[in-house]
């Protein structure tokens, strides 16, 4: 029932978004229905049968079944001589039900009327956009059989298998579909996460969607309107945009969790997991450690116990306050983060020996230890302090604001 109903509702939702019709109560209801459809579809079983009779090119039939083993829909996947293609021809109701299921699984497809009948047609990109394990197993089985039968060569097989593993290099953030790629700049590499809107309307829709999700323009993303024949863009700033995505995931936002899981899947398949992990590390580690009760050896026989680490605002800058205890005596020190010329994040702190020992343990930088003197802390120390509960997101938010354009 959900799958059938969603066909028309999804069209209405897409129309509203694309044309800037922001009746939030309506869109929220449609979004709720979409989640019901996805939950329904995720519970369906996927089975397949590979057919490879002599004299006929092989194909695989994929069937979707409910909990009672009733077949809800099916589709055949074949090789058309140049690419993989999944096709269904049949009654309108069945075609629309199938299209709804496939869309809920991640494809982008419509049921269309053709020569008096109804058709659902997926190309390779849409086929590999569906990430259910059983579906991908069916596609992989067909590719291997095509190679075994000599219908495709080894190079074609390897390319198809790579596409199956990787899937499309797109992720969806707040309803905006963005392209993900790795780019080389000299000897270094970076990620590009970008959307190229097809019109001024789709540009406005994307920007509004990101803003509504709490992404701040200039901090988490940059955008340029398409005008005068020049293509526009919406560009996710890194690492700030990814940190915001991780923060939303921690807050239980479902689409943020899906976006990050898909991004990690793409990175693994396309060989840039390392750089993604580097971007995400401060946010993944943020507020995962409780510093209270941490014991620090100041010198032989003398220990300090950390009682609290917190952030207080000093104007528009964060002051980190560290409280600790030595032999029952409560002590504390603090330092303020700022940005100096050239966009360098830093903090100056005067440290006596026991303070240095405490801060060295908190930051993991043992070079801080030593006689009392002024120390200059850098961004790496800020990221290390961000691991502590009640401190992390405040410091990371300030850092991204300080680094904005």
């Amino acid at each position: 029932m959900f799958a059938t109903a969603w066909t028309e509702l999804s069209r209405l939702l897409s129309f509203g978004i694309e044309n800037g019709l922001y009746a939030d109560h309506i869109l929220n209801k449609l979004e709720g229905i979409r989640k019901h459809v996805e939950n329904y579809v995720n519970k369906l079983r996927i089975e397949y049968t590979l057919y490879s009779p002599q004299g006929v090119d092989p194909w695989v039939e994929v069937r979707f079944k409910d909990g009672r083993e009733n077949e809800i829909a099916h589709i055949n996947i074949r090789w058309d001589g140049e690419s993989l293609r999944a096709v269904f021809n049949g009654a309108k109701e069945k075609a629309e039900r199938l299209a709804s299921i496939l869309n809920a699984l991640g494809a982008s497809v419509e049921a269309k009327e053709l020569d008096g009948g109804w058709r659902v047609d997926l190309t390779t990109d849409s086929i590999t956009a569906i990430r259910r394990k059983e579906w991908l197993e069916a596609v992989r089985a067909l590719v291997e059989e095509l190679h075994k039968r000599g219908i495709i060569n080894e190079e074609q097989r390897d390319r198809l298998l790579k596409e199956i593993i990787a899937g499309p290099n797109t992720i969806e953030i707040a309803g905006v579909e963005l392209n993900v790629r790795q780019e080389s700049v000299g000897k270094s590499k970076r990620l590009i996460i970008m959307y190229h809107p097809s019109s001024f309307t789709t540009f406005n829709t994307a920007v509004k969607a990101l803003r509504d999700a709490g992404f701040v323009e200039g901090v988490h993303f940059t955008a340029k309107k398409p005008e005068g024949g020049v293509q526009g863009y919406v560009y996710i700033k890194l690492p700030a945009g990814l940190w915001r995505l991780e923060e939303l995931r921690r807050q239980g936002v479902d689409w943020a969790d899906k976006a990050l899981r898909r991004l990690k899947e793409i990175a693994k398949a396309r060989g840039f997991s390392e750089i993604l992990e580097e971007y995400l590390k401060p946010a993944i580690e943020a507020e995962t450690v409780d510093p209270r009760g941490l014991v620090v050896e100041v010198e032989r026989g003398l220990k300090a116990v950390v009682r609290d680490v917190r952030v207080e605002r000093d104007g528009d800058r964060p002051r980190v306050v560290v409280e600790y205890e030595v032999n029952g005596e409560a002590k504390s020190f603090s330092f303020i983060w700022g940005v100096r010329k050239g966009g360098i994040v830093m903090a100056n702190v005067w440290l006596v020996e026991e303070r240095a020992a405490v801060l060295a343990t908190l930051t993991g930088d043992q070079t801080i230890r030593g006689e009392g003197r002024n120390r200059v802390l850098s961004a790496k120390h800020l990221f290390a302090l961000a691991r502590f509960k009640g401190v992390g997101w405040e410091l990371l938010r300030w850092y991204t604001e300080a680094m904005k354009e």
Side-chain angles (χ1 to χ4, degrees):
M1 180 180 70
F2 285 135
T4 303
W6 179 243
T7 302
E8 292 302 324
L9 291 169
S10 62
R11 288 174 186 164
L12 179 59
L13 178 61
S14 297
F15 178 81
I17 292 173
E18 289 172 5
N19 291 278
L21 303 177
Y22 302 116
D24 289 342
H25 65 289
I26 294 174
L27 295 181
N28 288 340
K29 286 180 180 178
L30 291 172
E31 178 65 15
I33 294 171
R34 183 188 67 81
K35 288 181 180 178
H36 277 299
V37 175
E38 288 186 348
N39 289 336
Y40 166 77
V41 169
N42 286 333
K43 292 176 183 177
L44 293 179
R45 285 185 56 192
I46 299 178
E47 298 178 354
Y48 74 90
T49 302
L50 176 67
Y51 297 96
S52 187
Q54 290 297 318
V56 179
D57 287 353
W59 74 94
V60 65
E61 181 186 67
V62 181
R63 298 175 297 279
F64 301 92
K65 292 186 174 182
D66 63 17
R68 297 179 180 178
E69 290 297 306
N70 297 313
E71 184 179 299
I72 305 302
H74 72 271
I75 192 168
N76 292 324
I77 307 175
R78 301 176 185 271
W79 175 253
D80 68 4
E82 295 181 358
S83 63
L84 293 174
R85 210 167 195 93
V87 178
F88 169 84
N89 290 297
K92 179 181 178 181
E93 183 183 346
K94 291 183 178 180
E96 289 185 336
R97 183 188 304 130
L98 173 63
S100 299
I101 291 170
L102 296 174
N103 282 323
L105 287 171
S108 180
V109 64
E110 290 182 38
K112 296 181 179 180
E113 191 173 7
L114 183 68
D115 298 330
W118 285 80
R119 183 181 178 93
V120 176
D121 192 346
L122 282 75
T123 58
T124 302
D125 280 349
S126 286
I127 290 171
T128 58
I130 298 172
R131 306 311 296 167
R132 276 281 292 269
K133 180 183 176 183
E134 309 97 306
W135 172 273
L136 295 176
E137 285 175 354
V139 181
R140 190 178 294 110
L142 175 60
V143 171
E144 293 289 5
E145 184 66 15
L146 288 168
H147 178 254
K148 180 181 175 182
R149 292 272 303 272
I151 297 168
I152 61 173
N153 59 34
E154 189 170 347
E155 183 182 345
Q156 289 172 309
R157 179 198 65 181
D158 292 346
R159 175 179 58 79
L160 287 168
L161 290 177
K162 183 178 179 181
E163 288 180 13
I164 292 167
I165 294 169
N169 61 330
T170 57
I171 62 170
E172 189 176 296
I173 298 178
V176 182
E177 193 170 272
L178 300 110
N179 181 268
V180 182
R181 72 177 192 275
Q182 182 179 248
E183 184 178 87
S184 296
V185 182
K187 293 183 178 180
S188 63
K189 295 180 179 180
R190 64 177 181 175
L191 291 189
I192 304 292
I193 303 178
M194 184 178 287
Y195 166 63
H196 288 291
S198 58
S199 67
F200 185 69
T201 300
T202 55
F203 170 84
N204 282 341
T205 300
V207 170
K208 184 183 186 301
L210 290 172
R211 286 175 178 166
D212 288 349
F215 286 75
V216 178
E217 190 168 356
V219 175
H220 303 114
F221 73 96
T222 59
K224 182 181 178 181
K225 298 177 183 178
E227 55 187 349
V230 178
Q231 189 177 40
Y233 62 79
V234 178
Y235 172 78
I236 301 298
K237 293 189 67 177
L238 304 180
L242 292 180
W243 292 357
R244 176 60 182 157
L245 204 56
E246 171 62 18
E247 186 178 9
L248 289 169
R249 186 196 69 80
R250 295 270 195 97
Q251 293 169 5
V253 177
D254 184 57
W255 59 256
D257 179 64
K258 287 181 180 178
L260 279 171
R261 283 193 282 111
R262 179 64 190 132
L263 185 56
K264 290 174 183 177
E265 188 179 46
I266 293 170
K268 182 178 179 181
R270 298 183 184 272
F272 52 81
S273 290
E274 236 177 79
I275 187 171
L276 177 62
E277 288 170 7
E278 186 180 334
Y279 281 129
L280 278 171
K281 185 178 178 182
I284 289 175
E285 293 182 346
E287 306 210 7
T288 56
V289 178
D290 190 342
R292 294 170 299 181
L294 186 65
V295 178
V296 178
E297 186 172 342
V298 177
E299 57 185 56
R300 188 180 296 274
L302 184 64
K303 298 183 185 298
V305 179
V306 177
R307 291 307 180 201
D308 192 26
V309 180
R310 65 180 185 276
V311 174
E312 298 174 352
R313 279 283 174 166
D314 194 308
D316 61 351
R317 298 162 62 191
R319 177 190 292 274
V320 175
V321 179
V322 179
E323 296 180 351
Y324 64 101
E325 186 180 293
V326 178
N327 288 335
E329 181 182 357
K331 300 185 178 185
S332 70
F333 64 96
S334 67
F335 48 93
I336 303 174
W337 289 97
V339 184
R340 73 183 188 196
K341 192 174 181 180
I344 298 173
V345 170
M346 57 165 289
N348 287 302
V349 56
W350 176 261
L351 298 172
V352 296
E353 188 171 359
E354 64 184 30
R355 289 182 180 180
V358 171
L359 191 56
T361 300
L362 290 174
T363 62
D365 182 2
Q366 296 304 315
T367 65
I368 290 174
R369 284 181 179 267
E371 297 296 328
R373 54 176 167 160
N374 186 62
R375 300 280 183 174
V376 178
L377 305 181
S378 65
K380 74 174 184 179
H381 299 106
L382 181 145
F383 296 153
L385 292 168
R387 295 176 301 128
F388 299 119
K389 291 182 178 179
V391 174
W393 290 117
E394 186 73 19
L395 287 180
L396 292 183
R397 288 191 200 106
W398 173 82
Y399 178 88
T400 57
E401 290 166 6
M403 294 294 103
K404 71 180 180 181
E405 293 178 346

